[in-house]
Amino acid sequence: MSSGEEKVGFLSNYLVDTDVLIWYLKGDKKAKNILHSVEFSISTVTYIELLQGMRNKRELTLFKKFIKNWEIDILQINEAISMKAAFYVEEFTLSHSMALADALIAATASHYGLIVLTGNEKHYKFLDIEIETFRPH
């Protein structure tokens, strides 16, 4: 895992949302194709959400091996990201049901100038970030 800031020059253009990685881990061909065709990073929030979804030690071991083998940058939350996420929650919780995890992922993308690859564009479309919509097969 990297802290993100040290490797900013090496980041891809994409921050992959949790749902896309879930589709990949479930064997979706379209998710596999897209993730094998681009370099990408994930937020530490996505990493933690995926850890929470593991059903047993075998899944956990395979997931950690996947992260390590692909050398995926896991971008950590810093003060600037926290402040941006707080702004998103304050501004959009009442009007758009802005969730904490989505606010942190969006703030990470905003901070690093990354495109969020997501199947849940409704979670992000009202924000000042670029999104690319993923639809599984």
Side-chain angles (χ1 to χ4, degrees), residues 1-2 21 24-25 40-43 46-48 50-51 54 60-74:
M1 285 189 250
S2 78
L21 284 170
Y24 175 88
L25 294 169
F40 62 91
S41 302
I42 63 173
S43 166
T46 293
Y47 181 75
I48 293 167
L50 290 169
L51 287 176
M54 297 296 119
L60 177 61
T61 300
L62 289 172
F63 172 65
K64 289 172 83 174
K65 187 182 238 184
F66 160 75
I67 295 291
K68 183 180 178 186
N69 288 344
W70 269 22
E71 299 178 348
I72 297 170
D73 279 325
I74 301 173

Side-chain angles (χ1 to χ4, degrees), residues 28-133:
D28 182 78
K29 288 180 183 180
K30 188 173 179 187
K32 181 179 177 182
N33 289 340
I34 197 164
L35 293 183
H36 284 277
S37 68
V38 298
E39 289 188 26
F40 62 91
S41 302
I42 63 173
S43 166
T44 191
V45 174
T46 293
Y47 181 75
I48 293 167
E49 286 181 324
L50 290 169
L51 287 176
Q52 287 181 319
M54 297 296 119
R55 295 175 292 194
N56 55 52
K57 291 281 188 185
R58 181 178 177 280
E59 281 188 1
L60 177 61
T61 300
L62 289 172
F63 172 65
K64 289 172 83 174
K65 187 182 238 184
F66 160 75
I67 295 291
K68 183 180 178 186
N69 288 344
W70 269 22
E71 299 178 348
I72 297 170
D73 279 325
I74 301 173
L75 305 178
Q76 304 302 314
I77 298 166
N78 61 25
E79 184 177 356
I81 292 169
S82 297
M83 291 178 68
K84 183 77 166 191
F87 169 78
Y88 286 154
V89 169
E90 183 178 341
E91 289 295 310
F92 300 109
T93 293
L94 296 176
S95 61
H96 294 86
S97 301
M98 180 91 253
L100 174 61
D102 294 332
L104 286 165
I105 291 168
T108 301
S110 175
H111 181 75
Y112 290 106
L114 301 173
I115 301 164
V116 177
L117 179 63
T118 183
N120 292 317
E121 71 276 354
K122 67 182 180 209
H123 295 177
Y124 304 103
K125 67 182 177 184
F126 51 89
L127 300 173
D128 60 348
I129 60 170
E130 190 174 348
I131 60 172
E132 190 170 308
T133 304

